[in-house]
Amino acid sequence: MASTGLAGIAIVLGTADVLHAFAIIEKEDVFKKTPCPAFLMFENAAYLADMSFELPCNCKPEEVTSVVWYFQKNMGRHRTKVLTDFDGTLVVDSSHIKRGVDMLRRFSIRMFSLIVFRVQVEDSGHYICGTKKGDFFYGYDVDVQTSKNIAVAFADEDQHPQKDFNRTHFVVFTVFWEWTKCNRCDVRGEQRRVGLCYVQSPHLLRRYRTTIPEVASCGSKSVPKQFRGVPNRKPEVVIRSCMAPCRKKMSSMGEASISDVISKLGEKPWVPDIPIQFHKQSLGTGLIIACPGARPEHAVAWDKDSTRMYLTRFLTGVNKSMRVFIDHGNHLHIRFAQMDDRGVYYCWREGQLVAGFRLSVVYESRHKRSIDDPETQYAIKAIFTSYVFITLLFVSIHIVRCCVYAFRCTSVE
């Protein structure tokens, strides 16, 4: 496990204000007090895929009224993306951003700061604040770590995160962010703690600036090439149970505790005072439900009617054959919808009940499938895998029979 020094590093980095990506502050005084460096350096920052981040232009001349942001995957390459409308006022609604959309359609500039929505691993690289004439003021070295195959540990089951990886010239370890809020109130909820991969080494490139000396994220360009990917450490998430009181008045929430009694008496059961959306889904098709206003870094929970969908059972990866699961971006997935999936799915965000989705599953006798349907692609993969397996089995049987026949012939001779 981490030594005392690494534990201190984790505390300092973990308490960094990395989740407040949309805070707008006055920067005029900062620009007057912060001179731009004579030699362009890059500040290291790490994020998990599908999150959004803000990069402030920490220094610029006072006479500059608008900035241009540049993106380069690697230094020295000629391919550079220009992230600007040359006015610094581009506005993007993050709720309309879809996964996989090119970065040129996923950014916004506000108060000279660059905001990139739903970042992907491909967005890792150098971000430089400057002017359209080519003057550079400030730079960032952004490392976006994948959320696929993330290592999950459940603290209630006494599971532990990954151990540190020690080598002669470097140490690879995990830096955890602060615990999220409890995702439910007045009932048992859960908290998450995300951890990203970091490396400690005295051999980091000096052109990159880090929060703690000699410590940078594993995908940082400051890490020498011979160290990168050794080992291929996954991001981590730790989950534990929690209890938190609701902030709303207890009179309205208290009705939930007697809802069962009322329903037994034949009266209308208690219904939460939240917006309910109605959705009709075809039998056998897939569905993904997003919690309104929620981002991957938020504390989100899902319930089906009166059943709690705890992450210990429904988090993706807990069971490989899961048909209904919650991904690391807090989306609820239903694969191959069945009749028993009908019901009301409630969404909790930051410990408050915010929305409900009434799902009805209907049978459609005529439904034309296209090659782009996830169900069609899944069926094709299943058929192809079965065909390959049967073919290999058939060939193996005949090879064995030929070998046995040849052995018998040799024995007879």
Side-chain angles (χ1 to χ4, degrees):
M1 298 300 292
S3 62
T4 305
L6 293 183
I9 293 172
I11 294 174
V12 174
L13 291 177
T15 56
D17 192 16
V18 292
L19 298 182
H20 299 285
F22 300 98
I24 298 177
I25 59 175
E26 295 293 335
K27 296 183 173 61
E28 286 77 11
D29 292 337
V30 176
F31 296 139
K32 291 180 180 179
K33 297 179 181 180
T34 307
C36 292
F39 184 74
L40 183 63
M41 300 184 68
F42 296 92
E43 181 178 338
N44 178 234
Y47 303 93
L48 192 65
D50 287 331
M51 291 186 175
S52 302
F53 63 73
E54 176 186 1
L55 303 178
C57 188
N58 285 335
C59 73
K60 70 173 186 62
E62 295 183 39
E63 61 272 11
V64 175
T65 58
S66 65
V67 296
V68 175
W69 282 89
Y70 298 90
F71 171 74
Q72 270 192 338
K73 188 69 176 178
N74 295 296
M75 291 298 296
R77 294 190 177 182
H78 297 290
R79 292 190 60 182
T80 303
K81 290 184 178 180
V82 181
L83 309 177
T84 187
D85 60 352
F86 297 109
D87 291 324
T89 57
L90 184 65
V91 177
V92 177
D93 186 357
S94 59
S95 62
H96 296 161
I97 300 297
K98 297 181 179 180
R99 186 174 183 175
V101 177
D102 186 77
M103 184 172 56
L104 292 175
R105 300 172 58 187
R106 289 187 285 109
F107 78 94
S108 176
I109 297 178
R110 302 174 187 174
M111 296 290 293
F112 309 110
S113 297
L114 175 69
I115 300 175
V116 182
F117 302 98
R118 302 205 66 175
V119 295
Q120 302 301 312
V121 177
E122 296 77 16
D123 298 333
S124 300
H126 298 89
Y127 292 80
I128 306 172
C129 171
T131 65
K132 59 183 179 181
K133 295 181 180 179
D135 298 326
F136 299 144
F137 307 136
Y138 205 85
Y140 288 89
D141 166 37
V142 174
D143 172 25
V144 181
Q145 301 185 13
T146 181
S147 58
K148 295 181 180 179
N149 301 321
I150 191 171
V152 180
F154 297 101
D156 296 344
E157 300 178 6
D158 200 27
Q159 297 180 359
H160 301 283
Q162 303 174 89
K163 296 182 178 179
D164 296 344
F165 187 85
N166 292 273
R167 283 296 180 266
T168 304
H169 300 291
F170 64 93
V171 179
V172 180
F173 60 101
T174 301
V175 172
F176 285 94
W177 294 357
E178 294 181 352
W179 289 99
T180 63
K181 295 181 179 179
C182 197
N183 58 12
R184 294 179 177 89
C185 64
D186 281 354
V187 295
R188 185 175 75 86
E190 292 172 314
Q191 290 177 291
R192 291 189 312 162
R193 195 180 190 189
V194 176
L196 299 181
C197 176
Y198 275 78
V199 59
Q200 180 186 31
S201 173
H203 302 287
L204 300 180
L205 302 181
R206 301 302 179 184
R207 189 173 184 181
Y208 295 85
R209 181 184 303 152
T210 57
T211 305
I212 301 297
E214 300 183 353
V215 174
S217 60
C218 293
S220 170
K221 304 302 180 182
S222 64
V223 180
K225 292 183 179 181
Q226 57 268 29
F227 293 170
R228 296 178 189 171
V230 184
N232 188 13
R233 190 182 184 90
K234 303 173 184 177
E236 304 180 42
V237 59
V238 181
I239 298 172
R240 70 180 183 185
S241 299
C242 60
M243 286 289 295
C246 290
R247 290 179 295 178
K248 294 183 179 180
K249 56 183 180 180
M250 298 302 296
S251 59
S252 61
M253 298 302 295
E255 298 176 6
S257 62
I258 61 173
S259 59
D260 295 334
V261 178
I262 297 177
S263 60
K264 290 180 181 179
L265 296 176
E267 300 292 338
K268 184 178 180 181
W270 172 82
V271 177
D273 186 18
I274 57 174
I276 302 291
Q277 297 183 17
F278 295 84
H279 182 76
K280 187 180 294 185
Q281 188 72 14
S282 300
L283 181 67
T285 58
L287 175 66
I288 301 177
I289 307 176
C291 187
R295 298 197 299 270
E297 60 266 30
H298 284 161
V300 176
W302 291 94
D303 297 337
K304 180 187 178 184
D305 296 325
S306 59
T307 303
R308 312 293 181 194
M309 303 180 68
Y310 288 111
L311 296 176
T312 51
R313 287 188 53 201
F314 289 93
L315 183 65
T316 178
V318 173
N319 187 345
K320 295 182 179 180
S321 61
M322 298 174 68
R323 189 181 60 84
V324 179
F325 61 90
I326 302 170
D327 65 19
H328 293 289
N330 297 321
H331 301 101
L332 177 63
H333 293 247
I334 301 178
R335 299 177 59 188
F336 309 110
Q338 300 179 1
M339 288 300 179
D340 57 0
D341 292 327
R342 293 178 295 184
V344 181
Y345 293 84
Y346 295 104
C347 168
W348 299 74
R349 186 187 71 228
E350 297 292 281
Q352 297 296 316
L353 199 59
V354 294
F357 302 86
R358 183 176 296 278
L359 177 65
S360 60
V361 181
V362 297
Y363 174 75
E364 294 183 0
S365 58
R366 294 182 180 181
H367 178 67
K368 295 183 178 180
R369 300 277 187 184
S370 65
I371 195 66
D372 296 331
D373 289 340
E375 294 79 11
T376 303
Q377 296 178 358
Y378 180 83
I380 292 175
K381 291 180 180 178
I383 294 173
F384 179 76
T385 303
S386 302
Y387 176 79
V388 172
F389 176 76
I390 294 173
T391 302
L392 293 176
L393 182 62
F394 178 80
V395 173
S396 300
I397 292 174
H398 280 274
I399 291 175
V400 172
R401 290 183 62 184
C402 290
C403 292
V404 172
Y405 179 77
F407 178 77
R408 288 179 178 177
C409 292
T410 305
S411 300
V412 172
E413 293 178 357

